[in-house]
Amino acid sequence: VTDRLYLDAPELLEFDASVRAVRALGDHPAVVLDRTAFYPEGGGQPADRGDLGGVPVVDVQEVDGEVLHALAGPAPSGAVHGRVDGARRRDHLQQHHGQHLLSAAFEAALQARTLSFHLGAEVSSIDLDVPAARLDAAALRAVEARVNELVFRDLPVTARDFSPEELAALPLRREAMKGARVVVVGDAASGGIVDASPCGGTHPRRTGEVGAVALLRALRWGQGARVEFVCGGRTVRLLAELQERLARAAEHLRCAAAEVADAARRTTEDLAARRKEAEKLALALADGEAARLAAGAVRPAAAGGPVVRAVLVPPGGGAAAWLRGVAGGLAARGCTALLGAVEDGKGFLCFARPRGPGPAMGELLREAVALLGGKGGGAPDLAQGGGPDGSRLEAALEAAAARLPP
Ligand SMILES: [Zn+2]
């Protein structure tokens, strides 16, 4: 049985051990040691990394009661010196113990029970048994203040096996899963136990090691809520990242960082107003084009008025909208419109006629647009579509004109 040094000495990062057996984990050779400071993945805490005798440890898993250290190279034999990646261990310890404190704070503040915990690469999260609607910004800030209070008080943390008598006296936050190991936050002697939770993970000696805890957001998660958070070093990194993003946004908006929200709102409102204005102008322009074309229309049609067949050049981008505007203007003036335009090599068609009885524009267009290799359709009095082959636009319009009743 491997002596698990990380249980009683979570700060121990270097150790000497002997290789007891060599097994395999995935594609890697994996050694079993007589003692180890490497934490195997479990309880929501990822496995440690580091090296054994200079060979990188790529994973640590518990399999059938053995701690397997998967290696990137050939397994050493005999005595070996182990080194745990301290930065990674501290990061996991901060997120993991931060979760214990956060779960205690949610329970104390909102009677919200923690159902699960995920230690992510960027942010971590806990799932709670309360609806997300209860976790508005004010509630999150209140819990955040509470959990940071636990950190700043730098309370003692005890992680060890407790006797059945001791266990019975502890205010356990949840049932023990296996073993009698419990993480107790606070001083039992002075009657100030803040949290007691069964756990086999690595924990600090004092809560201060967790560093500042920041709650990021609450999301709906089934019937409950998922709360994302960061602790310690991640809080500092995230703050720097957000500052950087804010500075970039401020630069683009040409304003001070503190004014980004107002500037973004003003820019969005301004953009919407200008878009509306542009649409109005485009409509007026299309109507003017329709009036010009209607005045020049000569060929009368038995039903549907004079026919205007034309290939148009839209004044800006958006051939489809331009054709629809002009065709609508022509139909309103009693004409039948067979219009086309080419944009980026693609062909666009729009057919329209006055309302009432007359040839079906939808059918007419479906046939014509097939010549462009595309699709389209519409109502009896207005139809449009487009296809990739803009070079056959004239042929498509001619075919449609030929199908109109004389
Ligand atoms: Zn834990």
Side-chain angles (χ1 to χ4, degrees):
V1 175
T2 306
D3 185 9
R4 301 176 189 224
L5 304 171
Y6 57 82
L7 287 177
D8 291 328
E11 60 284 318
L12 185 73
L13 298 174
E14 295 210 25
F15 64 102
D16 289 298
S18 305
V19 174
R20 282 293 156 87
V22 180
R23 316 231 185 274
L25 190 63
D27 296 335
H28 297 276
V31 296
V32 178
L33 304 172
D34 62 338
R35 57 209 295 270
T36 187
F38 280 91
Y39 180 77
E41 182 178 349
Q45 183 175 338
D48 280 331
R49 296 284 187 271
D51 72 86
L52 280 175
V55 184
V57 174
V58 294
D59 196 9
V60 187
Q61 295 289 333
E62 191 173 330
V63 179
D64 300 330
E66 287 186 325
V67 180
L68 300 187
H69 304 73
L71 301 171
S77 57
V80 68
H81 186 69
R83 280 186 310 189
V84 174
D85 179 338
R88 181 179 159 98
R89 162 68 71 77
R90 170 177 289 150
D91 174 49
H92 291 165
L93 180 147
Q94 287 181 327
Q95 315 313 314
H96 181 175
H97 193 70
Q99 176 260 309
H100 276 244
L101 300 179
L102 191 56
S103 293
F106 266 114
E107 191 142 323
L110 301 170
Q111 290 77 51
R113 286 167 47 81
T114 299
L115 303 175
S116 51
F117 161 57
H118 318 273
L119 203 165
E122 307 281 328
V123 302
S124 299
S125 60
I126 52 172
D127 297 335
L128 301 167
D129 69 348
V130 294
R134 277 185 65 194
L135 304 179
D136 58 9
L140 289 185
R141 293 290 82 82
V143 172
E144 189 178 60
R146 208 169 178 132
V147 68
N148 280 301
E149 176 73 14
L150 298 178
V151 172
F152 300 153
R153 280 165 65 195
D154 200 24
L155 298 165
V157 179
T158 311
R160 64 169 172 86
D161 288 343
F162 284 75
S163 70
E165 296 74 43
E166 286 178 309
L167 275 180
L170 283 176
L172 287 184
R173 179 153 52 76
R174 56 192 180 91
E175 293 285 315
M177 301 290 276
K178 58 172 182 177
R181 192 175 164 81
V182 177
V183 178
V184 176
V185 179
D187 197 349
S190 61
I193 291 183
V194 169
D195 189 46
S197 182
C199 180
T202 57
H203 289 272
R205 302 280 187 194
R206 305 194 73 91
T207 57
E209 286 182 52
V210 168
V213 180
L215 303 194
L216 307 180
R217 58 175 182 162
L219 311 158
R220 264 182 57 182
W221 199 258
Q223 305 290 330
R226 168 164 286 190
V227 174
E228 293 181 345
F229 67 97
V230 287
C231 301
R234 292 191 185 196
T235 307
V236 178
R237 278 205 303 279
L238 184 64
L239 189 59
E241 216 176 282
L242 294 178
Q243 285 288 3
E244 165 74 25
R245 274 187 228 160
L246 190 61
R248 274 211 306 275
E251 201 181 308
H252 287 305
L253 289 165
R254 297 167 200 276
C255 69
E259 286 150 19
V260 160
D262 276 340
R265 180 182 49 76
R266 276 199 308 273
T267 304
T268 308
E269 284 171 1
D270 192 42
L271 186 67
R274 279 166 195 257
R275 189 169 283 155
K276 239 183 200 164
E277 193 63 26
E279 275 166 15
K280 249 200 262 173
L281 288 173
L283 266 181
L285 209 57
D287 200 55
E289 177 76 352
R292 192 181 66 78
L293 289 168
V298 284
R299 186 190 150 194
V307 175
V308 175
R309 167 154 61 107
V311 172
L312 304 184
V313 180
W322 176 252
L323 290 181
R324 197 167 54 240
V326 178
L330 282 165
R333 287 172 173 80
C335 300
T336 291
L338 302 179
L339 305 179
V342 178
E343 189 176 61
D344 298 330
K346 291 182 193 130
F348 292 87
L349 292 173
C350 185
F351 298 169
R353 65 163 172 80
R355 292 196 171 184
M361 295 289 114
E363 274 173 39
L364 207 61
L365 187 122
R366 250 191 308 281
E367 289 172 15
V369 86
L371 292 174
L372 309 178
K375 279 186 199 164
D381 59 346
L382 176 71
Q384 63 183 133
D389 190 359
S391 68
R392 305 195 62 196
L393 196 66
E394 291 279 7
L397 287 172
E398 197 162 324
R403 295 283 308 250
L404 283 176

